[in-house]
Amino acid sequence: MGKKYDVLLLGYYGFGNLGDELLAEAAVSLLREAGVAQSRIAILSSAPADSEERFGVVSFNRWRLGEVTKACSESRTLLLGGGGLFQNSTSLRSCLYYCAVMLIAKVKGLRIWAVGQSVGPLRSKAARAVARLALSLCSYISVRDESSLKMAGELGLSAELTPDLVMSLAPEKNAVKEPLILFNARPGYGDLARKAAARCREAAEANGCEVRGVALAAEDAAEIERLRSLQDVKIRDIITVRKLEEFSAAIKGASGAVGMRLHFLVLCLLAGIPLAGCAYDPKVLGFCMRYNVEVVGEDPIRLGKLNDDTVQSEAAAAVREKFTAGLRGVLGDING
């Protein structure tokens, strides 16, 4: 007792990626709905000032050991708030960083919980060992796709399946359709990105539509521009979005979408836009399978359409149920 914060948020926050910022926004919103006062929430961020302004919670610099230690000393629980924190697609550094913070938290007596995580790919014994050690420190774990559930089991961990935290948000519904197809790509997946661009071009030509590039980070904009320069797809304009409201404005009137980023697909689905996803990662494939979304390269005929309002309401209810269960498991019934 006597701690300043009930929950300290840990994730890939403050790097200018809309998807991860929306995960933080969703986590803060869910905590407040569950009865945690906003003043009792803190966050570790790469851009502390930006995160404080954006989320209205105290922010600590994730790169300064002294601040991380101070944040842990002043908190009751550590929450891994969504995302793919334990993976080594590029290197082992991500796994090592999050494991180190969790060990500091454990030494400081925090209870640790993880919600809406993706686990893997873990392509080395070292990555598996680090992920197993870190996640074994958690009192509660929920994952957002079947592949991660399987990986958790292989690591000897108990986890529950839940929709992505962003499914609890509600972007503006896209009622009026215009001849516009949205396109999102992310770097590092050259051949797959070109296949996604080709699928977008096919949809645009078949329906007499123009194409708008929608980037969730600066690196997305560069990749979309690269694909435009290769003439894989004709793109009218490219918009980089940094907030949910900006995303809603950028996609207004769109009649279809093709994309790679998971949260681009999530937000398009919630907005009622027929879409196709490029499954560069198991979490994207799992999302597409779960919500009947076309997978690029597997179904060249249609853009998956699932506009039933119950999709968002049922997913949001499931997120809240699992999130609240995790919170009460580590913090007790804060209203009681």
Side-chain angles (χ1 to χ4, degrees):
M1 300 301 292
K3 300 294 183 76
K4 286 185 179 180
Y5 311 110
D6 289 321
V7 181
L8 174 63
L9 276 165
L10 173 64
Y12 193 71
Y13 309 136
F15 291 91
N17 182 306
L18 178 63
D20 292 291
E21 299 309 298
L22 291 178
L23 286 172
E25 180 179 332
V28 170
S29 178
L30 289 163
L31 286 167
R32 293 184 64 191
E33 285 182 28
V36 180
Q38 192 159 334
S39 61
R40 302 281 299 173
I41 303 169
I43 187 171
L44 291 169
S45 171
S46 182
D50 290 345
S51 294
E52 285 199 0
E53 181 180 359
R54 182 166 190 153
F55 307 120
V57 300
V58 172
S59 181
F60 295 88
N61 192 320
R62 62 176 267 152
W63 298 122
R64 294 182 180 174
L65 179 60
E67 290 205 28
V68 172
T69 302
K70 183 175 187 292
C72 289
S73 297
E74 296 180 346
S75 302
R76 296 174 64 190
T77 75
L78 178 71
L79 168 59
L80 280 65
L85 306 185
F86 288 95
Q87 50 80 28
N88 68 330
S89 295
T90 52
S91 75
L92 188 60
R93 286 177 296 181
S94 175
C95 293
L96 290 172
Y97 172 81
Y98 292 108
C99 183
V101 175
M102 293 168 73
L103 287 170
I104 292 172
K106 196 68 176 178
V107 169
K108 293 294 183 180
L110 280 71
R111 300 197 71 183
I112 305 172
W113 52 307
V115 296
Q117 291 293 310
S118 287
V119 184
L122 299 167
R123 298 193 174 101
S124 69
K125 289 183 179 179
R128 283 177 173 253
V130 173
R132 182 185 295 110
L133 170 62
L135 292 171
S136 69
L137 302 175
C138 294
S139 301
Y140 175 85
I141 303 171
S142 70
V143 295
R144 60 186 179 182
D145 56 82
E146 293 283 356
S147 175
S148 296
L149 192 64
K150 180 181 178 182
M151 177 61 73
E154 292 175 359
L155 295 176
L157 304 167
S158 176
E160 295 185 331
L161 189 64
T162 183
D164 186 272
L165 293 186
V166 175
M167 294 291 281
S168 66
L169 301 178
E172 184 179 340
K173 280 286 184 181
N174 216 344
V176 179
K177 303 299 182 184
E178 298 176 2
L180 179 67
I181 299 287
L182 309 171
F183 177 62
N184 166 264
R186 60 166 299 166
Y189 300 88
D191 290 342
L192 281 175
R194 297 195 72 174
K195 287 182 180 179
R199 180 66 186 96
C200 183
R201 182 183 66 243
E202 173 191 311
E205 292 175 351
N207 294 281
C209 295
E210 292 186 299
V211 176
R212 165 172 289 163
V214 179
L216 272 58
E219 61 189 25
D220 291 7
E223 177 66 5
I224 295 169
E225 181 59 50
R226 184 185 75 87
L227 295 167
R228 175 162 66 177
S229 68
L230 292 172
Q231 299 185 344
D232 286 339
V233 59
K234 293 181 179 179
I235 298 175
R236 184 184 75 188
D237 57 357
I238 301 173
I239 298 177
T240 301
V241 292
R242 303 196 181 280
K243 295 182 179 180
L244 183 60
E245 296 78 9
E246 294 176 1
F247 185 90
S248 294
I251 69 172
K252 194 176 180 76
S255 55
V258 179
M260 296 181 69
R261 292 270 187 194
L262 174 64
H263 291 111
F264 172 83
L265 300 175
V266 168
L267 293 174
C268 285
L269 177 75
L270 296 179
I273 300 173
L275 69 154
C278 182
Y280 71 92
D281 184 277
K283 67 177 180 282
V284 177
L285 179 60
F287 171 82
C288 292
M289 297 296 290
R290 188 170 189 172
Y291 295 107
N292 191 36
V293 171
E294 175 193 334
V295 177
V296 170
E298 294 189 13
D299 185 347
I301 299 172
R302 64 178 176 83
L303 286 174
K305 187 174 184 179
L306 189 58
N307 295 341
D308 191 337
D309 287 342
T310 60
V311 171
Q312 196 275 337
S313 60
E314 289 178 0
V319 170
R320 289 183 173 88
E321 177 186 354
K322 300 296 185 184
F323 190 93
T324 302
L327 175 64
R328 288 180 176 166
V330 297
L331 204 56
D333 188 346
I334 61 174
N335 294 315

